Amino acid sequence: GPKVLQIPSHQIIDMGQMVTLNCDPVSNHLYFYWYKQILGQQMEFLVNFYNGKVMEKSKLFKDQFSVERPDGSYFTLKIQPTALEDSAVYFCASSRGGENTQYFGPGTRLLVL
Amino acid sequence: GQQVQQSPASLVLQEGENAELQCNFSSTATQLQWFYQSPGGSLVSLLSNPSGTKHTGRLTSTTVTKERRSSLHISSSQTTDSGTYLCAIDHNTNTGKLTFGDGTVLTVKP
């Protein structure tokens, strides 16, 4: 099926530093998403993004988080500054439309020390 | 808030047996997806099935929208089917905001 790529696969950083997670969505998809999964816990929606704008964000999407997709390049999630509770696996997803099947990337495992 | 409940929480089968997984949700779903999450954590979309019945390979999903429930049937289970099966719902937003259940952990023994 369609592939979503995520870079890096793993990231370890010190608390307070900035981190950028990169997502290469399916080429003809227009909707993009970030989800967060803490080890052993439920997958949770963070944010969705369409036409250059955030459409909806959850309470987990703190002020330190931001997303963008400049000029059709990577869809990125930036956390600045990071906190210990940001340690999790972050999954990117994309879909053709808001009501269509979402395809997920393999995740970026973020560890904040 | 919106809730997605999956049952059973865990299931152990012998290879070749069939599995029936359930997903119940608290409000109308405009999108419903079943996912497989491997022991390593990667997520694979299995089926999108907001209503009716869909088949792919050994998988069959039946969603009864009015009753707010969906099932995933796995026939002739294999050891490689072991992992976590997640049900996710878009509760009438059409913006793709998926709410996930806690999953069913399936173990298939040889």
Side-chain angles (χ1 to χ4, degrees), chain A:
Chain A
K3 296 288 187 187
V4 175
L5 304 177
Q6 289 188 242
I7 301 165
S9 59
H10 296 77
Q11 181 85 52
I12 301 174
I13 58 171
D14 291 324
M15 182 177 61
Q17 286 189 312
M18 180 193 76
V19 68
T20 300
L21 309 184
N22 299 291
C23 172
D24 188 7
V26 178
S27 60
N28 62 346
H29 285 184
L30 301 176
Y31 285 73
F32 312 113
Y33 314 86
W34 284 103
Y35 291 84
K36 176 182 179 181
Q37 188 177 36
I38 294 173
L39 185 63
Q41 296 186 22
Q42 197 174 41
M43 182 84 70
E44 294 191 273
F45 170 85
L46 280 177
V47 66
N48 51 14
F49 189 85
Y50 168 73
N51 198 25
K53 298 174 188 174
V54 169
M55 292 186 296
E56 189 173 3
K57 54 188 179 182
S58 74
K59 59 184 177 183
L60 296 179
F61 194 81
K62 304 179 296 184
D63 291 343
Q64 297 89 332
F65 288 35
S66 62
V67 292
E68 63 176 354
R69 193 188 186 209
D71 300 325
S73 60
Y74 287 147
F75 175 53
T76 62
L77 173 65
K78 183 185 292 186
I79 309 174
Q80 182 178 25
T82 51
L84 295 177
E85 61 265 28
D86 296 332
S87 295
V89 182
Y90 290 84
F91 289 92
C92 172
S94 70
S95 64
R96 278 188 293 127
E99 72 283 11
N100 296 121
T101 299
Q102 291 184 29
Y103 294 90
F104 279 66
T108 293
R109 284 145 187 80
L110 177 66
L111 178 60
V112 181
L113 301 176

Side-chain angles (χ1 to χ4, degrees), chain B residues 8 11 14 18 20-21 26 29-30 32 39 42 52-53 57 61 74 78 80 85 93-94 99 104-105:
Chain B
L11 183 61
Q14 289 297 130
N18 299 331
E20 187 85 13
L21 311 180
S26 60
T30 53
L32 185 148
S42 62
T53 298
S61 173
I74 306 172
Q78 302 173 359
T80 50
Y85 290 79
T93 67
N94 277 332
T99 301
T104 293
V105 179

Side-chain angles (χ1 to χ4, degrees), chain B residues 58-77:
Chain B
R58 294 182 291 108
L59 304 178
T60 301
S61 173
T62 299
T63 299
V64 183
T65 310
K66 287 184 179 179
E67 297 180 13
R68 298 177 184 170
R69 60 178 174 86
S70 181
S71 64
L72 180 69
H73 181 88
I74 306 172
S75 63
S76 303
S77 62

Side-chain angles (χ1 to χ4, degrees), chain B residues 8-51:
Chain B
S10 62
L11 183 61
V12 180
L13 299 175
Q14 289 297 130
E15 196 167 28
E17 292 182 328
N18 299 331
E20 187 85 13
L21 311 180
Q22 302 293 336
C23 176
N24 292 277
F25 40 98
S26 60
S27 59
T28 305
T30 53
Q31 174 60 286
L32 185 148
Q33 276 187 252
W34 283 96
F35 293 89
Y36 167 76
Q37 188 164 35
S38 70
S42 62
L43 206 64
V44 175
S45 178
L46 298 174
L47 286 164
S48 286
N49 189 29
S51 65

